[in-house]
Amino acid sequence: MQIFPKEEIIPGGQENSRAEFLAACPEGKRPGLYLHIPFCGSKCRYCNFFSVTGKQKIPAFLTSLYQEVLLQRRVFDSFDTLYIGGGTPSILTPLQLADLLSHLRQNFEFTEDAEVTLEVNPADIDVSFLEQIRLLGINRLNIGSQSFEDKILDFLGRRHSSNQALQAIMAARQAGFDNFGIDLIYGIPGQNRHSWKMTLEQVLSLKIPHLSCYQLTVEPDTPLGKACAQGLFKMPDNDELFEFFMETSEFLEDAGYCHYEVSNFALGACRISRHNSKYWQHIPYLGLGPAAHSFDGKKRWENVRSLDSYLLRLSRGERPVENCEILTEDELQLETLFLGFRTKAGIDLKSFSEKFGFDLWTKKKHALEPLLAAGHLKITAGRLQPTRTGMALADSLALL
């Protein structure tokens, strides 16, 4: 089967080819599909993701999304992951989700074992909702818990309570989901390492299959960022954040979790997020919806960060692409290092050499040896891997 018809043009006006696609997607590494659902019941104080509040424009958005599906259905051949994120995708009804998945299956090919993830807010879901969406083929959940402390949830501006977060986890199990994860945030003003450890102990008691632990980032244009700039609270310093990270990693790994990416932990390889792993492994993906990003192995493009512009462009039959860039070899190398050093697997030196035409160890030995000596990196079975301290410093390791 030909993946791209002859002379097919992708966003940005650059021609693509089957050969380029196969080079970017080696055997066993199919692309992933991401959908951005830009609606929320309310806006969290820390959130910098693109979203709008209210449900009024959901029908118009879905109509436009289906039009984008038609325009993009030949970019990639088939997918083995689908991630529906946002925003708050659980704001959609089971009927709307059923219609959405039907459109996707009519226009895209998915492997039989495809991982299909839906992000959910604990305030939106109950057992009945989850049972209905599981019957649609959604087989993985990501629950936006963020904390089990009400005072922390209030500070973050979340619209659910700690009890609702716990109820959501129990509802997921009752509905038959054995593959799900929760998000938690640390480094929050008023949160100390003792209370954070109590949260992690609660995670262990609940036997959560997958856990994402994110350090709070205060973005300037968010309500939290503005409050911080006014001196209304003080963020933890870098040394304290480093201790949060190190203690979290050690505690969860001692409990049997695999710390497979800077912010992510899984109870066994079968619970690793297959979709998100594509981003860290530089595997191509297609993003649909406003502000969604796509990557084909060499080119990256981004949709407009405006719901109204997104609706208008698609009503005219236009792709809603705002920016497109072709990455240079140097940029691809840097991204490969940057993303690889965020993961426990690290960089496969042989694969890196085959992809970029030079031996990383030979060329960067002068920079790598001090990092190995300091205990930030190690070499195991031909892989250059970050240690726990290396993962804490992952962003700087790539600047070899």
Side-chain angles (χ1 to χ4, degrees):
M1 177 186 295
Q2 186 173 346
I3 294 175
F4 298 102
K6 195 172 183 179
E7 304 300 323
E8 174 74 351
I9 305 297
I10 69 154
Q14 298 298 321
E15 293 186 10
N16 220 322
S17 70
R18 175 178 168 84
E20 288 177 332
F21 174 81
L22 291 176
C25 278
E27 186 177 356
K29 295 186 176 181
R30 295 179 185 270
L33 177 62
Y34 173 79
L35 300 186
H36 188 77
I37 310 298
F39 299 95
C40 288
S42 62
K43 191 78 172 177
C44 299
R45 297 181 69 210
Y46 62 91
C47 183
N48 196 40
F49 290 114
F50 174 71
S51 65
V52 297
T53 55
K55 302 180 181 180
Q56 298 87 345
K57 293 186 178 181
I58 289 179
F61 162 74
L62 291 174
T63 298
S64 294
L65 182 62
Y66 301 155
Q67 177 65 19
E68 188 182 12
V69 166
L70 293 175
L71 292 174
Q72 302 285 50
R73 61 182 175 176
R74 291 188 293 180
V75 173
F76 292 127
D77 183 34
S78 65
F79 303 97
D80 64 358
T81 66
L82 167 62
Y83 194 103
I84 307 174
T88 310
S90 55
I91 204 169
L92 300 181
T93 66
L95 187 60
Q96 288 170 327
L97 286 167
D99 193 45
L100 171 58
L101 290 168
S102 176
H103 273 80
L104 295 178
R105 289 171 180 139
Q106 288 171 21
N107 291 282
F108 295 125
E109 286 190 24
F110 295 92
T111 59
E112 289 186 8
D113 66 341
E115 175 193 86
V116 182
T117 304
L118 181 75
E119 286 185 350
V120 299
N121 184 299
D124 296 333
I125 62 175
D126 56 22
V127 175
S128 175
F129 175 90
L130 295 179
E131 286 176 339
Q132 290 179 71
I133 66 167
R134 186 167 171 267
L135 291 175
L136 300 178
I138 294 170
N139 53 33
R140 185 176 183 274
L141 300 175
N142 196 76
I143 304 170
S145 302
Q146 314 310 348
S147 178
F148 296 129
E149 296 183 70
D150 284 324
K151 66 176 183 179
I152 295 293
L153 294 171
D154 288 341
F155 177 83
L156 296 174
R158 298 293 294 180
R159 60 186 174 91
H160 70 272
S161 66
S162 59
N163 184 59
Q164 285 177 308
L166 295 171
Q167 291 295 323
I169 293 167
M170 289 186 280
R173 286 208 163 95
Q174 281 184 261
F177 284 95
D178 59 358
N179 191 10
F180 66 89
I182 67 169
D183 292 343
L184 293 174
I185 300 178
Y186 66 88
I188 302 168
Q191 176 193 57
N192 56 48
R193 299 209 302 274
H194 175 69
S195 65
W196 173 243
K197 188 173 182 180
M198 289 178 64
T199 295
L200 295 180
E201 287 173 346
Q202 196 162 9
V203 166
L204 298 189
S205 69
L206 294 168
K207 296 183 173 59
I208 308 296
H210 187 277
L211 184 63
S212 297
C213 297
Y214 298 110
Q215 176 185 309
L216 177 64
T217 301
V218 176
E219 301 287 354
D221 293 332
T222 62
L224 214 57
K226 293 173 183 176
C228 186
Q230 293 170 13
L232 299 181
F233 64 86
K234 185 179 179 181
M235 291 293 293
D237 60 30
N238 288 335
D239 288 342
E240 189 173 358
L241 292 172
F242 178 79
E243 291 302 321
F244 264 109
F245 177 91
M246 296 296 287
E247 290 176 10
T248 300
S249 176
E250 183 176 1
F251 180 81
L252 290 174
E253 288 211 310
D254 285 348
Y257 282 84
C258 173
H259 189 183
Y260 71 95
E261 192 271 342
V262 167
S263 303
N264 288 276
F265 302 80
L267 279 177
C270 62
R271 294 296 177 252
I272 286 174
S273 171
R274 286 165 50 193
H275 181 85
N276 288 339
S277 293
K278 295 183 186 298
Y279 303 142
W280 306 315
Q281 295 175 32
H282 240 192
I283 296 172
Y285 52 89
L286 177 64
L288 305 178
H293 289 247
S294 301
F295 176 63
D296 74 351
K298 291 186 177 180
K299 291 173 283 289
R300 182 175 288 112
W301 60 96
E302 175 187 3
N303 280 354
V304 291
R305 192 181 170 89
S306 162
L307 179 57
D308 289 338
S309 294
Y310 178 83
L311 298 178
L312 179 61
R313 290 204 189 185
L314 285 159
S315 70
R316 295 172 175 172
E318 302 170 4
R319 287 188 172 100
V321 175
E322 186 169 47
N323 297 305
C324 181
E325 62 173 337
I326 301 174
L327 301 178
T328 66
E329 281 293 295
D330 286 345
E331 288 171 331
L332 288 169
Q333 290 169 24
L334 182 61
E335 284 196 4
T336 299
L337 293 174
F338 173 78
L339 295 169
F341 286 146
R342 290 186 62 87
T343 68
K344 191 180 187 73
I347 308 292
D348 184 284
L349 294 171
K350 181 179 178 182
S351 296
F352 187 94
S353 176
E354 291 172 349
K355 184 174 182 179
F356 295 111
F358 69 90
D359 182 79
L360 180 63
W361 174 255
T362 301
K363 186 173 181 177
K364 299 287 187 177
K365 185 177 179 180
H366 65 286
L368 292 171
E369 284 187 330
L371 295 173
L372 288 163
H376 300 324
L377 292 176
K378 61 182 179 180
I379 296 180
T380 308
R383 303 192 75 91
L384 188 61
Q385 299 171 297
T387 61
R388 182 175 289 140
T389 56
M391 290 179 82
L393 305 170
D395 290 358
S396 59
L397 290 184
L399 302 175
L400 298 174

